[in-house]
Amino acid sequence: MMAVLKDFSLNPEHYMRYLIFLLPVLSCYDVEKDCNAFQLGTFEFSTIINGEIKTSRFIRSKSLEIEFYENNIDSASVKWVNNCEFILTKINPKSNQDKRPVKIEILSTEGKEYFFEYSLVNNPKKRFRGRAAKIN
């Protein structure tokens, strides 16, 4: 039995053969990313805050996003950087925190959902991820 296992050990030449075989297979994986389908419409986003699931609904046009969260309504201007990235800037900020624009990048899409990453424009190293669903 040990002789069989000993013969099974891989030398560097074997690693190269496997790598050459696996590279084309792995590089064929393509993430679905139809960002145009998510530029306009009505969406929902859920997150956990203090142990509770909170849901926000928002309506987005090419230049405006209106968010409905609990009993509040917020409006933000939308500036598309490219098909998959945009910047939200609150129209009537109530605090200095609200004045900071948020950069959102759609990472992938799947059916009626998109997965995104967001950060404050002036703090791109602190990023968060989320998922939004198109409901209309």
Side-chain angles (χ1 to χ4, degrees):
M1 180 75 162
M2 289 302 279
V4 172
L5 290 177
K6 191 174 187 181
D7 290 339
F8 187 72
S9 67
L10 297 175
N11 63 36
E13 185 179 310
H14 287 108
Y15 286 121
M16 288 304 291
R17 285 185 190 162
Y18 288 116
L19 246 164
I20 290 170
F21 171 75
L22 284 176
L23 237 103
V25 172
L26 294 175
S27 65
C28 290
Y29 178 73
D30 208 9
V31 174
E32 184 181 339
K33 198 170 178 179
D34 180 15
C35 299
N36 290 331
F38 296 95
Q39 289 185 354
L40 310 172
T42 303
F43 305 87
E44 279 189 351
F45 168 69
S46 295
T47 190
I48 298 174
I49 299 175
N50 296 328
E52 287 185 58
I53 296 176
K54 302 286 185 172
T55 300
S56 165
R57 181 175 289 198
F58 53 97
I59 301 168
R60 184 185 309 130
S61 70
K62 277 286 194 189
S63 61
L64 182 67
E65 184 171 291
I66 302 169
E67 179 182 17
F68 304 90
Y69 175 71
E70 295 186 332
N71 292 321
N72 298 313
I73 300 173
D74 266 331
S75 300
S77 65
V78 177
K79 181 180 178 189
W80 287 93
V81 177
N82 59 46
N83 283 344
C84 296
E85 287 183 52
F86 59 98
I87 296 174
L88 290 177
T89 306
K90 291 207 178 188
I91 293 174
N92 296 309
K94 295 178 179 84
S95 66
N96 283 335
Q97 175 75 18
D98 284 350
K99 291 179 184 178
R100 298 176 181 170
V102 176
K103 179 184 169 224
I104 299 174
E105 179 181 359
I106 298 173
L107 301 173
S108 65
T109 63
E110 187 177 304
K112 291 191 172 271
E113 297 179 333
Y114 69 90
F115 300 87
F116 62 95
E117 187 171 79
Y118 63 99
S119 65
L120 294 175
V121 170
N122 64 348
N123 192 4
K125 291 184 179 180
K126 192 172 183 181
R127 297 178 182 168
F128 303 94
R129 290 193 174 202
R131 176 186 60 83
K134 189 170 188 177
I135 57 173
N136 187 3

